[in-house]
Amino acid sequence: MNVLSKLGCATLLFWIVFSLLALAGWAQHVARPKHVLVLYWDDQDHPANVDFSRNLRAALQSAAPGGFEYYSEYLESNRFPDKRQSELLRDYILQKYTGRTINVAVATTSAALDFLLKYRSELFPNAPIVFAATHQPDPPQLSSGAGATGVIFVNSYKKTLELALKLHPGTERVFIVSSTPVFGESWEKMARHDLQGFSDAAITYLTDIPLQELEAKLKALPERSIVLYVWERLTNEKGKFLESSEVLTSIAPSIGVPIYGMSFVHIGRGIVGGYVWTMETRTHKMAELILKVTNGVRPVDIPVENTPVVPMFDWRELQRWGIAEDVLPPGSIVRFRVLTFWQQYKWRMVAVGLVLVFQTVLIGALLVERRRTRRGAAALQESEGRFRNMADTAPVLIWISGPDKLCTFFNKAWLSFAGRPMEQELGSGWEARLHPDDLGRWSATYSSSFDSRSAFRIEYLLRRADGEYRSLLCVGVPRFQRDGGFAGYIGSSLDITELKFAQERALAGQKLESLGLLASSVAHDFNNLLGAILT
């Protein structure tokens, strides 16, 4: 029994160790990232490639963090249009990835798909293909080798034209602008296939027409027409190669009829809108397919689908053609909306309106008071008494000077602050309490304001009754007599010492200027009101 027990324990221990090793190996296998090779049509710096790479990487990282190792290759057909370039790229990729397993090959366009289908047996015979293309490959191509699946984009010809005709009732002719790519099927062929049975308007295809001739034809289009811009790559009169969006930007200003499209890239370049594909929906769908095939789902079991499209429009073009937003399809996206003046400055205008209403009420009250003062000297004296009462009850330091620059009045708040009687402050006596460092600056500002008859604002230190120098913000506005003669200045000063200290502690002095502007504005308005009453 002891021997059998020992043998049983040994066997159990063996199976435990074996299971742990197997699990460790399986975990290591699962943790190993999948190799994804993405083949682009154009060069690395092409905006579409940069956008696609960023969105696809983000989608894969979000779905499986650290689960993919990303490789990129480029056909660069826009730089090297020679067909022999594909053979050179094939040889380069074959040597570069020798000994490196590619778990899935991704084609971003029809041209890249044609390349992978053509050389898949030489390059990646065991790698399934996930593609985004403008036409669907034949069934034998999808099932050959490790299989292929993907999404189709730029395929909403009929849906976009039906939308355009709904927004422009009475349209009689449709002009479809496109050119034939170096690789893959022509856009015209795909359009004709999608528009089979479409009879709502006569269709004319403007395919592979030189730029100048195309501009002339589009400029002379008859009324009751629309243009469906698909894709173009042309050379201008200077020999410069123009991408599709650049061609659209060039020809759109000369077209006198509405333009529609099927790509989000063309929104904002002259088209009204359409059912468009977006980079986000395209890459998100492709990321889903990549995850499926790398998890063991056979591509032949995954049907090829259309990239989701969204109704998207340019607000400026909607305004140009008088299209109301409430007639657009549900869920429409309207870009490049120009905010009205009210939308941009709504709250500022409300604030200004309130201030104006408040000032209007005050001015109205002052005008009524002014009419009363004209009834006689008694009313004038009463008005002056009211002014002095208002000034004496005001929470600011108020002063008045004559045309000779000498002060003729100080309110009670000022005298309480100074701790001296009116007689000692009148004239220029109050300047004895100015801080020596501020005396010259005050004199210069005060004198220059008298010369220009303009309002001024200055901050200075003034000694209080207890001997402490306090920071005052002073605002002065000119006074004029009924005949227009200059009568001197009326001013007010705010003690902002505590506010400055609090502001410095709270915001390190960054918002003191805003405080000064606010105080200045309040003081300026108050001075205007007092000046009117005084006059």
Side-chain angles (χ1 to χ4, degrees), residues 46-345:
H46 194 282
N49 292 343
V50 175
D51 197 13
F52 182 95
S53 177
R54 181 178 63 253
N55 281 276
L56 182 61
R57 287 173 183 264
L60 291 176
Q61 177 65 20
S62 176
F68 292 93
E69 192 169 323
Y70 200 90
Y71 302 93
S72 302
E73 299 296 341
Y74 304 87
L75 288 174
E76 297 192 89
S77 301
N78 57 338
R79 293 183 178 180
F80 305 98
D82 189 352
K83 292 185 177 181
R84 187 171 176 270
Q85 173 66 15
S86 63
E87 299 177 1
L88 297 175
L89 181 61
R90 175 204 60 188
D91 297 338
Y92 164 75
I93 293 178
L94 186 61
Q95 296 180 24
K96 180 177 181 179
Y97 293 93
T98 299
R100 182 69 54 93
T101 300
I102 297 299
N103 299 105
V104 58
V106 178
T108 61
T109 60
S110 296
L113 175 60
D114 291 343
F115 177 89
L116 289 178
L117 292 175
K118 183 177 181 180
Y119 299 115
R120 69 183 307 173
S121 60
E122 303 175 53
L123 299 176
F124 313 113
N126 300 319
I129 296 175
V130 173
F131 62 83
T134 54
H135 66 278
Q136 183 167 335
D138 298 328
Q141 292 178 309
L142 294 175
S143 59
S144 64
T149 187
V151 295
I152 307 299
F153 67 104
V154 194
N155 58 347
S156 57
Y157 297 90
K158 188 174 182 180
K159 197 172 184 180
T160 296
L161 282 185
E162 289 175 344
L163 170 63
L165 295 183
K166 178 183 177 182
L167 299 179
H168 303 276
T171 299
E172 299 174 352
R173 303 190 64 180
V174 175
F175 294 85
I176 300 181
V177 179
S178 67
S179 61
T180 304
V182 178
F183 300 93
E185 297 183 359
S186 70
W187 298 99
E188 180 178 336
K189 180 180 178 180
M190 291 182 282
R192 289 181 181 275
H193 178 270
D194 196 35
L195 293 174
Q196 290 179 0
F198 183 85
S199 58
D200 297 337
I203 298 179
T204 301
Y205 291 91
L206 302 179
T207 305
D208 296 332
I209 299 177
L211 181 59
Q212 289 184 328
E213 182 181 347
L214 178 63
E215 289 180 337
K217 286 181 175 292
L218 294 175
K219 190 174 183 179
L221 292 182
E223 295 183 359
R224 299 183 179 276
S225 300
I226 61 173
V227 172
L228 178 61
Y229 183 86
V230 183
W231 182 87
E232 285 280 7
R233 271 187 175 175
L234 299 174
T235 304
N236 62 13
E237 65 278 4
K238 297 181 181 180
K240 180 184 177 183
F241 180 79
L242 300 179
E243 292 285 353
S244 180
S245 57
E246 295 175 315
V247 175
L248 176 59
T249 302
S250 175
I251 64 177
S254 62
I255 302 177
V257 299
I259 312 172
Y260 284 79
M262 298 173 290
S263 172
F264 78 102
V265 178
H266 296 153
I267 301 292
R269 299 180 182 272
I271 72 171
V272 179
Y275 282 97
V276 304
W277 66 273
T278 66
M279 190 63 74
E280 291 79 8
T281 56
R282 176 178 160 193
T283 53
H284 181 76
K285 193 64 181 177
M286 293 185 70
E288 291 181 0
L289 298 178
I290 292 172
L291 288 171
K292 287 182 179 180
V293 298
T294 54
N295 287 330
V297 181
R298 298 190 310 164
V300 293
D301 296 330
I302 305 175
V304 176
E305 300 181 26
N306 291 327
T307 299
V309 293
V310 295
M312 187 178 295
F313 301 89
D314 186 335
W315 183 87
R316 298 165 298 184
E317 295 297 320
L318 293 177
Q319 301 302 307
R320 175 186 177 186
W321 299 106
I323 302 173
E325 292 188 34
D326 56 4
V327 302
L328 301 179
S332 294
I333 300 173
V334 179
R335 299 181 58 194
F336 305 104
R337 189 186 302 275
V338 179
L339 297 178
T340 63
F341 187 82
W342 168 254
Q343 291 171 326
Q344 293 184 64
Y345 303 104

Side-chain angles (χ1 to χ4, degrees), residues 399 442 445-446 449-450 454-458 474-478 489 520:
W399 54 267
W442 160 262
T445 302
Y446 191 56
S449 299
F450 263 77
S454 61
F456 67 91
R457 180 170 69 95
I458 185 172
C474 177
V475 176
V477 294
Y489 271 77
S520 174

